Amino acid sequence: MIKRTIYVGSPAYLRLKQKQLVVEDPEDKSIKGTIPIEDIALLMLDHYQITLSNQLLIKLQGNNVAVVSCDAHHLPFGIMLPLYGHTEHSDRIKHQIAASEPLKKQLWKQTITQKIKNQQALLKSNNKPYEQMDLYWQHVKSGDTTNCEAKAAQHHWKYLFENFTRERFGNAPNNLLNFGYTVLRSIVARALVSSGLLPVLGIFHRNKYNPYCLADDIMEPYRPFVDKMVYNYISLYGVPEKLTKDSKAYLLNIATQDVWIDGVERPLMVAVTTTTASLYKCYYGELRHIKYPILD
């Protein structure tokens, strides 16, 4: 069964009743909706007047639900995850910590190679210049010492959108990309926990202030799927100056987008779990390659 992403963007009291998330109006106490906890993968809270019971939080964490809170700009700001989500948690972390530097450099090479291939596929599918991307993914070295990722990114952003500069706080559609990437990051962090791995221990990212270094690593080949959704949204509705409930609802569907991975078509959220499970097998020595999605 495909897990669901739930968005709450108005004042609400969230509580637990009979293993269901109950959304209650704080004014008249009417029930706005219910959903089984076991059906939820991600819960996004986008209003300052949302209250949750601790009983509900414990149940959400027990079911490995990522709870995402948004800031005053309606952008995802924080992620709450359980401390562990796998029965072999301590044993798997031992293998993660013991991973050698050469192994991590090879895994990063695989990660960047697939990211560039997916960027190239997106450009090609939209009749944008894509041929030069061959030079980048074919020359990625161990640890990406020649910085092919940055070179490919420059080409990608130059041609995907018109008159666009990719900046965290830049003009639209940076706002759409930022929102989509943060949702994607939450999905990846949740999958890492469910695979018994620590999101803080990256294979490339090592920022001491970043608690999700590994999530930032593993999400790289998935970013072009967010780019694809943003491109399609702009093609349909134009470039929005501000995020709206409609645009956020559209981007939250990233979790259920179908992607090709390991020879089969699966929802992105399921594919991410396939990726994180294969990452552990690489740490363990059972596999030599991470399973990443292919943008068709």
Side-chain angles (χ1 to χ4, degrees):
M1 180 184 66
I2 301 176
K3 298 282 188 175
R4 298 173 61 183
T5 299
I6 305 301
Y7 173 85
V8 183
S10 57
Y13 173 55
L14 309 183
R15 57 184 175 86
L16 179 70
K17 183 178 181 180
Q18 297 178 344
K19 299 182 180 180
Q20 304 248 343
L21 165 64
V22 178
V23 182
E24 185 178 289
D25 189 296
E27 295 293 332
D28 59 19
K29 309 302 180 183
S30 61
I31 305 300
K32 298 299 183 182
T34 64
I35 181 172
I37 298 295
E38 64 182 4
D39 292 352
I40 306 174
L42 189 147
L43 173 64
M44 180 168 288
L45 311 176
D46 189 15
H47 200 284
Y48 284 160
Q49 292 178 292
I50 297 175
T51 305
L52 290 79
S53 70
N54 192 50
Q55 184 185 29
L56 172 62
L57 280 176
I58 292 171
K59 193 68 174 179
L60 291 169
Q61 291 172 335
N63 282 268
N64 198 30
V65 177
V67 181
V68 179
S69 55
C70 296
D71 60 17
H73 303 287
H74 304 286
L75 289 171
F77 182 75
I79 310 171
M80 181 182 293
L81 292 166
L83 287 175
Y84 62 90
H86 196 280
T87 54
E88 300 175 357
H89 181 68
S90 61
D91 188 61
R92 290 185 170 226
I93 288 175
K94 290 177 184 177
H95 292 292
Q96 181 182 4
I97 293 173
S100 67
E101 199 62 29
L103 172 61
K104 289 189 282 189
K105 287 183 177 181
Q106 281 298 314
L107 295 177
W108 185 241
K109 175 184 177 180
Q110 296 170 25
T111 300
I112 294 307
T113 298
Q114 191 57 54
K115 176 185 180 180
I116 297 173
K117 285 183 176 180
N118 287 343
Q119 289 175 324
Q120 181 182 40
L122 179 57
L123 291 173
K124 183 177 180 180
S125 66
N126 289 288
N127 299 313
K128 307 288 186 178
Y130 69 90
E131 292 85 357
Q132 190 173 344
M133 298 292 268
D134 284 328
L135 297 176
Y136 301 133
W137 68 259
Q138 290 175 359
H139 292 87
V140 178
K141 298 184 181 298
S142 178
D144 190 24
T145 53
T146 53
N147 206 16
C148 287
E149 179 190 15
K151 297 173 185 176
Q154 186 177 20
H155 181 94
H156 177 69
W157 296 123
K158 179 180 179 180
Y159 292 106
L160 184 62
F161 300 115
E162 294 182 6
N163 302 317
F164 174 74
T165 301
R166 173 64 185 140
E167 296 175 341
R168 184 177 179 183
F169 300 107
N171 296 328
N174 279 293
N175 51 359
L176 295 177
L177 293 166
N178 293 341
F179 186 87
Y181 290 154
T182 309
V183 173
L184 176 62
R185 190 190 199 206
S186 305
I187 293 170
V188 174
R190 172 188 176 273
L192 288 168
V193 171
S194 70
S195 294
L197 301 173
L198 287 176
V200 69
L201 299 179
I203 57 177
F204 176 77
H205 289 90
R206 290 178 173 81
N207 189 328
K208 67 179 181 179
Y209 303 109
N210 181 5
Y212 297 105
C213 290
L214 187 57
D216 290 340
D217 289 333
I218 300 305
M219 69 182 281
E220 292 294 348
Y222 286 90
R223 285 179 181 266
F225 292 93
V226 174
D227 303 343
K228 178 181 178 181
M229 290 192 71
V230 172
Y231 183 88
N232 291 341
Y233 184 89
I234 291 174
S235 297
L236 291 171
Y237 307 110
V239 180
E241 289 303 316
K242 295 183 179 180
L243 285 170
T244 64
K245 287 187 177 181
D246 288 341
S247 61
K248 286 186 283 188
Y250 175 87
L251 289 170
L252 283 170
N253 287 322
I254 184 66
T256 56
Q257 294 297 300
D258 288 331
V259 303
W260 282 97
I261 186 169
D262 200 21
V264 296
E265 191 175 44
R266 295 173 175 169
L268 182 138
M269 184 170 288
V270 177
V272 171
T273 303
T274 299
T275 296
T276 57
S278 71
L279 173 61
Y280 167 70
K281 291 181 180 180
C282 290
Y283 287 148
Y284 185 69
E286 186 177 334
L287 290 179
R288 297 177 62 87
H289 295 275
I290 308 178
K291 295 179 181 178
Y292 278 127
I294 299 172
L295 197 153
D296 186 1

